[in-house]
Amino acid sequence: MSDDESDYSDTPSFDSCEDYINFESIRNPSTQLEEAISFSWPGIYEDDEGIDNHDRGEGGAKEKKLRKIVVSTLLEEEDLAPLFDGSRWAGTRLWGAAVRGIQYVSGHLPGTEVSLMDHGIKLPTKDDKVTMLELGCGLGVPAMIYHMLGGDVVLTDQIDILSQLEKNVDSNFPQTAITSISRNNKNSSGESDINKQPTIQAMPLSWSRTDINGLLQEVGRSKIGFDIVINCDCVYEPLYGKSWHLLNETIDELLKVNPQCVVLSSMERRAADGIDNFLEEMRNMKNVGSVERVW
């Protein structure tokens, strides 16, 4: 969403992102170390499936409660070793670009209504299911929010953080999650019911043409692909090196499968980030129609 290196000072602070989603860091009282985060989204309230959703106000009127998502930021013990070998720790943090990305897709950024219409981006409805794939999702906040809005979503990242991701998906969306956990716990009737509504699932993915085609095959989308592909803060050379080459190949392959797919890359500009080279290469990919800044 940002490809102008001169705009550093104009970028809204992460504080404003935190306020927008009612972000809260949940810390251990004894150690004060963060164990989880929670967030909510404007206009999305708790459902009525076995939950008392409303508080009584002074006049006895019911007051809706925003639905709160709680996401663990703790890695499993066996995942800690590779944590310091590279950049996987980034997958346990919520970045401002992730919030801006889902704000754009959901129509919550001012002045982007025309852009959304021009690119055919619309929110899911009961009669019009919209699918989203998140690449390099980390905690998966954008895709989780889009699922709450009614989207059918697949979150992907390196296998090292998948156990954390699957647990977060399954604990927050027990009725619609498709993970190794939910597959083991749901009986055949539950699995039948889940296919009648939008679902959310976490899958391992290393960026490459071969692996993305394997994932499409596994989720039953080898011929139709996805409507929206989103990646947030996945390009930063000091941390990730030139992995953006592989990201571009993955994006190009997704556009080959579905030329109507809209790909959104939401990025925070930093010194020597490599974003300009990433965008230039993207413009020259065979299946990429156009690249433009939308916000």
Side-chain angles (χ1 to χ4, degrees), residues 33-50:
L33 295 177
E34 183 182 271
E35 296 183 339
I37 64 169
S38 69
F39 62 90
S40 57
W41 190 254
I44 297 181
Y45 301 97
E46 292 179 351
D47 58 37
D48 58 359
E49 296 180 3

Side-chain angles (χ1 to χ4, degrees), residues 158-223:
Q158 297 288 334
I159 195 169
D160 306 75
I161 65 170
L162 194 70
S163 61
Q164 175 203 57
L165 184 60
E166 282 197 321
K167 288 179 180 178
N168 285 331
V169 166
D170 203 59
S171 64
N172 285 288
F173 306 99
Q175 302 302 316
T176 56
I178 303 177
T179 67
S180 59
I181 301 170
S182 58
R183 289 190 189 100
N184 290 334
N185 292 338
K186 288 184 173 65
N187 57 30
S188 57
S189 62
E191 289 175 346
S192 176
D193 291 340
I194 204 172
N195 292 324
K196 298 178 181 179
Q197 56 186 322
T199 60
I200 179 170
Q201 57 184 312
M203 303 284 290
L205 177 67
S206 294
W207 295 336
S208 72
R209 294 182 186 274
T210 299
D211 285 2
I212 190 59
N213 277 305
L215 181 139
L216 290 172
Q217 183 72 32
E218 190 167 353
V219 300
R221 297 195 157 273
S222 58
K223 295 183 179 180

Side-chain angles (χ1 to χ4, degrees), residues 50-65:
I51 301 175
D52 182 7
N53 301 318
H54 305 95
D55 286 337
R56 293 282 182 178
E58 292 182 0
K62 292 182 178 180
E63 181 180 342
K64 292 182 178 180
K65 287 183 179 178

Side-chain angles (χ1 to χ4, degrees), residues 126-168:
K126 290 183 178 180
D127 299 322
D128 189 6
K129 183 186 291 186
V130 181
T131 59
M132 171 184 282
L133 172 68
E134 185 172 2
L135 301 172
C137 69
L139 293 175
V141 171
M144 288 184 185
I145 292 173
Y146 200 72
H147 180 60
M148 289 195 292
L149 293 169
D152 206 337
V153 305
V154 176
L155 307 84
T156 64
D157 211 316
Q158 297 288 334
I159 195 169
D160 306 75
I161 65 170
L162 194 70
S163 61
Q164 175 203 57
L165 184 60
E166 282 197 321
K167 288 179 180 178
N168 285 331

